[in-house]
Amino acid sequence: MFASFFKNKKWAFWAYSGIFFLIAINWYQTTLNVRINEWYRAFYDMCQNIDRHTLNDFYTQMKVFLWIAMPYVVSAISERYAARIWTFKWREAMTFSYFSYWKKVSKDIEGSSQRIQEDIFRFSRTIEEMGTRVLSAAMTLFAFIPVLWGLSSNVPFEFLKKIPGSLVWIALAISIGGLI
């Protein structure tokens, strides 16, 4: 399954450039998520002290949000499209790989070609969904480690205050537990 796509010279460009693009766009979305998180802090701090700010400050914050949100929407659509194309190319590589085995079967099995197509489709869809979610979750976790580390000192529970970066360790444990 993996060799038909990643080790075949015909599909190597799609395999490796697709993975590189998906990782790069996930990294970009993660940086935008961090910027949105910073914007939330600034915006809600402004809302909390509204008497010290003007309507122009509000509009400025809205412009900042648009400059973050618009590229995020475009990158999310691009990521989804690229992931679908990449998965389709992988399906195509696996189908051509298994086709040679299917032709050699001496016994005629009704619907076997459709079964091959459906099984490959399910496998590739599962890999696409799990891969993009795990990649996004891992990047988000690592991007927010400095934020969580800084917030760990403000935890109201004394036993957690004694552990340096307690929120990081809790988030890591929950992430690994969720992955398992």
Side-chain angles (χ1 to χ4, degrees):
M1 288 185 258
F2 293 97
S4 64
F5 192 52
F6 291 98
K7 289 186 178 182
N8 189 329
K9 289 181 182 180
K10 179 180 178 182
W11 302 103
F13 172 77
W14 284 104
Y16 295 107
S17 64
I19 274 194
F20 176 76
F21 180 77
L22 290 173
I23 289 172
I25 205 156
N26 260 292
W27 172 79
Y28 180 64
Q29 286 177 332
T30 303
T31 60
L32 290 176
N33 279 333
V34 170
R35 288 181 57 203
I36 285 174
N37 188 53
E38 293 167 354
W39 177 84
Y40 278 140
R41 181 177 45 90
F43 180 75
Y44 288 119
D45 285 351
M46 182 188 74
C47 289
Q48 189 173 11
N49 300 310
I50 198 70
D51 54 332
R52 295 185 211 153
H53 297 280
T54 65
L55 191 57
N56 284 335
D57 294 337
F58 174 77
Y59 288 136
T60 301
Q61 287 296 323
M62 290 297 106
K63 287 178 190 175
V64 170
F65 178 77
L66 282 174
W67 281 107
I68 299 170
M70 287 189 308
Y72 187 86
V73 169
V74 171
S75 68
I77 292 168
S78 300
E79 183 221 6
R80 200 77 200 129
Y81 179 74
R84 292 288 167 104
I85 295 295
W86 187 73
T87 303
F88 179 75
K89 291 298 182 181
W90 193 353
R91 282 177 48 205
E92 195 175 1
M94 286 190 291
T95 301
F96 285 124
S97 175
Y98 286 122
F99 187 69
S100 61
Y101 297 113
W102 177 70
K103 287 176 73 175
K104 293 178 187 174
V105 174
S106 59
K107 196 174 189 179
D108 187 30
I109 302 170
E110 186 178 337
S112 60
S113 62
Q114 184 178 357
R115 176 66 191 261
I116 290 171
Q117 184 271 335
E118 287 177 3
D119 288 347
I120 290 172
F121 174 77
R122 284 189 201 109
F123 170 77
S124 61
R125 179 68 63 180
T126 302
I127 291 294
E128 174 192 352
E129 289 175 5
M130 283 179 39
T132 54
R133 287 182 185 174
V134 167
L135 178 64
S136 178
M139 286 191 172
T140 301
L141 176 67
F142 289 118
F144 282 96
I145 282 177
V147 174
L148 289 174
W149 199 276
L151 291 174
S152 293
S153 61
N154 300 330
V155 175
F157 303 111
E158 284 301 319
F159 67 95
L160 287 177
K161 279 186 179 178
K162 295 176 183 175
I163 303 170
S166 60
L167 292 178
V168 172
W169 302 116
I170 291 171
L172 189 61
I174 290 171
S175 297
I176 291 171
L179 183 61
I180 290 171

